[in-house]
Amino acid sequence: MKKVIFGLIALMVLTFSACTKDDKSNNGTNEADVKSNATSGSWVVTYFVFNGSDNTTAHSGFSFTFKSDNTLQATNSLLTQQGTWTVSSTNGVTRLAITFPASSLQALKDMSQSWQVVSTTNAKLSLRNATATGDNILLFER
């Protein structure tokens, strides 16, 4: 529970302190930056809150590779599962949509959402999706 609260506080601080009215930066959230950063290597999930529950451990051992052909590969020591990903922007909000097929592990299917890109660098990808049951948060890091 402390981890969830800390993660939410950290995300709020990041969101509210990251920019001001005069700030011209986009925190790497434009489509080109998201695509470039996402496809520049493999990622691991360092934090994942889904429907109010911390599901980070369900993703331990997985490596995620966003490929330039919009396929997403999740690999651990036992299996490799394929999904897809796309990036789009509407009204200045960049979203990264992740989709894993229904036959995938539940932990991967839970990632199948249209995520708002909070920030991205070549080392960290911060995603958020507001739902009726609360914010889902997904952090990828290298």
Side-chain angles (χ1 to χ4, degrees):
M1 183 66 175
K2 287 181 184 179
K3 196 173 187 181
V4 172
I5 291 171
F6 176 75
L8 290 173
I9 290 170
L11 184 61
M12 288 173 51
V13 168
L14 175 68
T15 300
F16 294 118
S17 67
C19 58
T20 66
K21 276 187 162 181
D22 298 323
D23 188 5
K24 302 290 186 219
S25 75
N26 58 27
N27 297 317
T29 61
N30 66 50
E31 286 185 59
D33 287 346
V34 173
K35 288 176 183 178
S36 175
N37 288 332
T39 58
S40 64
S42 296
W43 300 86
V44 295
V45 171
T46 57
Y47 188 67
F48 183 43
V49 172
F50 180 70
N51 291 338
S53 297
D54 186 342
N55 288 337
T56 307
T57 56
H59 298 85
S60 65
F62 274 98
S63 173
F64 295 86
T65 306
F66 294 84
K67 298 184 178 184
S68 58
D69 65 357
N70 292 99
T71 58
L72 173 58
Q73 185 173 314
T75 305
N76 69 12
S77 60
L78 300 175
L79 59 92
T80 297
Q81 297 210 277
Q82 300 290 331
T84 60
W85 69 283
T86 58
V87 176
S88 62
S89 290
T90 304
N91 298 324
V93 176
T94 302
R95 299 194 76 80
L96 187 148
I98 295 174
T99 306
F100 280 99
S103 60
S104 299
L105 295 173
Q106 187 62 47
L108 299 178
K109 289 190 293 187
D110 290 346
M111 297 172 73
S112 293
Q113 301 179 46
S114 178
W115 299 91
Q116 179 181 346
V117 179
V118 176
S119 66
T120 182
T121 66
N122 62 352
K124 189 172 188 174
L125 179 56
S126 301
L127 308 172
R128 174 183 168 271
N129 187 24
T131 68
T133 58
D135 284 354
N136 293 335
I137 300 168
L138 178 57
L139 302 179
F140 287 101
E141 293 186 51
R142 294 196 202 281

